[in-house]
Amino acid sequence: MKKLTKLSLVASLALITTQAFSADTIAKAFEEGKISGEIKSQYFQKEVGTSHDKVGIWTNGGNLSFVTGSYYGLKAGVTFQAATVTSDDLDKSPTAYNSDQNVSGAVASQAYLEYTRENTTGKVGRQYISTPLVAGSGSRIFKESFEGIVLSNTDIPNTTLVAAYVDKFQGRTDIATNGTQIKDVSDFGSNVPAVNFASINMDGAYTLYIKNTSVKNLTLSAQYAVVDVITSNDAKAFYADASYNLTPFTISAQTYQSDDGSATNSDGSAYGLNLTANFGKLSLGAAYSKVDDEADIVNGLGNGADYLYTWSWIYGGVYSADTDAYKLSAGYKITDGLSFDLMHAAWKTGNTDRKSETDYIATYNFDKNLSAKFVFADYNNISTESYRSRLYVSYKF
């Protein structure tokens, strides 16, 4: 397959050409289009160095999306993201947030054509993707995006099928795609972040995802991905999970099977179990995961590909070889708008000391549009840090 470098340009030209032949109908599709967006403010603080110096950064930005109405099943969409660093306290560590928050500028993160016929939808161009093995993270000021083709189908009852090809990625900052950071937004490039790898320099990736809910209370899903890595053999990953709901309890199991493409010790395996319970305003959870000692797990493309049950808020899941981890969690809905969550995740890799992260999370929804979330993470045996804190404020319209 030819590389999809100019997909968004092709999408735009196709739309213009169609408009030339059917101006009135296309005009109506634009009139029926919908605008949505978000204004957000984020403040992050953490410790660096052996002296535990505190560094912080305040970023503000947002996104604006427009999706046309349907013209015989055809739609077009575009999303622009923009942000600026309002202030920072980085004198003692100027590069502390280079990979995620120290960025100002704007980028067209989505620019696509979408066509739907009966139960099949195809989307071509820049777009947000969220599947277990291919997923962009939205936890920073810039949400990650991919460029490619995504096909989805629901012809089989209670079953969703997704097939996709991606060959470009837009990260949180330009360090994701350029390797160095100049406080600029990320271009769409071939470098994609992946846990346990600085990045995967890909020449394209294929994936197939399936989700089935045919059996009452049981949800099954599986995904397979092949990444054409420029500097090594293909990397391959398989993910599957099963979740059964027996109110008020839900029990889930998952597995990762991957090949990182290296010459030796390339095959990795991981397994996880998760038990959750909901009692009205109170929710409880307990999870365990184990990565075998053969190889690190290729957990997918993008920072959002982090589905291990034992993930923590800041560090996420740990996919390193010979790692066992557990997580305990509890949440309580104090009022309709105010909730509090507590999570404790701990993991041990090989002969190293056990590390842990305890997260305290408070969320307040002022109304259906405006919300705020505060996260405080307390560390044990993690680098030179003892904590990180984050404040997220979001207004969606």
Side-chain angles (χ1 to χ4, degrees):
M1 179 180 288
K2 294 183 179 179
K3 293 175 68 64
L4 304 174
T5 309
K6 304 299 182 182
L7 283 174
S8 56
L9 177 60
V10 172
S12 300
L13 290 175
L15 189 62
I16 293 171
T17 302
T18 308
Q19 185 175 9
F21 288 98
S22 307
D24 292 340
T25 307
I26 293 295
K28 185 177 180 181
F30 273 88
E31 290 173 2
E32 295 175 349
K34 295 183 179 180
I35 295 175
S36 62
E38 180 182 13
I39 300 171
K40 48 188 177 180
S41 180
Q42 300 177 356
Y43 179 77
F44 287 17
Q45 186 182 80
K46 63 182 177 181
E47 293 179 328
V48 295
T50 56
S51 58
H52 290 228
D53 294 321
K54 294 180 177 64
V55 294
I57 190 168
W58 182 28
T59 51
N60 289 280
N63 57 74
L64 185 66
S65 299
F66 176 75
V67 180
T68 69
S70 177
Y71 169 64
Y72 294 103
L74 181 66
K75 292 182 178 181
V78 61
T79 298
F80 289 96
Q81 294 192 90
T84 184
V85 176
T86 304
S87 66
D88 65 69
D89 182 16
L90 301 176
D91 293 341
K92 296 179 180 179
S93 183
T95 63
Y97 288 100
N98 275 9
S99 63
D100 57 355
Q101 289 289 78
N102 197 358
V103 55
S104 296
V107 61
S109 295
Q110 294 199 106
Y112 60 83
L113 282 178
E114 177 181 305
Y115 180 70
T116 300
R117 183 177 177 84
E118 297 181 347
N119 295 320
T120 301
T121 297
K123 185 183 287 189
V124 182
R126 298 179 176 183
Q127 55 192 291
Y128 297 138
I129 299 176
S130 181
T131 62
L133 293 179
V134 181
S137 170
S139 64
R140 304 302 197 275
I141 200 70
F142 278 106
K143 184 176 181 177
E144 297 172 340
S145 182
F146 293 87
E147 187 172 278
I149 300 174
V150 178
L151 299 174
S152 60
N153 177 271
T154 57
D155 279 330
I156 303 174
N158 304 308
T159 302
T160 299
L161 291 169
V162 178
Y165 171 82
V166 297
D167 70 346
K168 291 289 184 293
F169 172 79
Q170 169 244 306
R172 295 163 171 169
T173 72
D174 63 309
I175 199 171
T177 46
N178 296 333
T180 58
Q181 210 269 352
I182 53 176
K183 299 182 181 179
D184 200 359
V185 296
S186 171
D187 296 323
F188 278 78
S190 59
N191 282 318
V192 187
V195 174
N196 297 315
F197 304 90
S199 66
I200 291 180
N201 193 7
M202 67 173 180
D203 194 30
Y206 303 83
T207 187
L208 179 64
Y209 171 74
I210 182 171
K211 180 178 179 181
N212 179 271
T213 57
S214 297
V215 179
K216 184 179 179 180
N217 298 326
L218 178 64
T219 300
L220 302 172
S221 67
Q223 187 170 10
Y224 181 70
V226 178
V227 185
D228 184 359
V229 184
I230 294 176
T231 56
S232 69
N233 296 324
D234 290 352
K236 303 171 185 177
F238 173 77
Y239 173 86
D241 66 37
S243 181
Y244 186 75
N245 178 258
L246 186 62
T247 305
F249 301 99
T250 299
I251 185 168
S252 306
Q254 66 180 177
T255 183
Y256 284 88
Q257 307 290 324
S258 71
D259 180 350
D260 64 18
S262 62
T264 58
N265 297 328
S266 62
D267 295 335
S269 299
Y271 304 90
L273 293 173
N274 191 33
L275 175 65
T276 60
N278 287 282
F279 305 98
K281 295 182 178 182
L282 176 66
S283 61
L284 300 172
Y288 174 80
S289 66
K290 173 65 177 176
V291 183
D292 69 22
D293 59 3
E294 295 299 316
D296 295 344
I297 296 298
V298 180
N299 64 297
L301 301 175
N303 286 299
D306 186 10
Y307 277 60
L308 199 64
Y309 294 146
T310 51
W311 65 272
S312 54
W313 188 273
I314 304 296
Y315 265 76
V318 179
Y319 300 85
S320 301
D322 197 17
T323 296
D324 69 272
Y326 69 86
K327 183 175 77 172
L328 301 174
S329 60
Y332 190 76
K333 187 176 181 180
I334 300 172
T335 66
D336 288 340
L338 179 63
S339 61
F340 181 78
D341 293 274
L342 173 66
M343 300 192 321
H344 176 76
W347 59 94
K348 188 177 188 299
T349 301
N351 295 321
T352 63
D353 293 334
R354 185 168 292 276
K355 299 177 173 64
S356 68
E357 175 180 325
T358 303
D359 300 322
Y360 306 87
I361 306 157
T363 304
Y364 186 70
N365 297 313
F366 296 89
D367 53 38
K368 67 177 182 179
N369 304 106
L370 180 62
S371 64
K373 185 187 298 289
F374 177 73
V375 180
F376 182 87
D378 185 23
Y379 292 154
N380 182 35
N381 288 332
I382 298 181
S383 185
T384 58
E385 300 179 73
S386 64
Y387 83 96
R388 289 192 189 186
S389 62
R390 296 177 180 176
L391 175 63
Y392 302 85
V393 179
S394 168
Y395 180 81
K396 297 180 179 180
F397 58 91

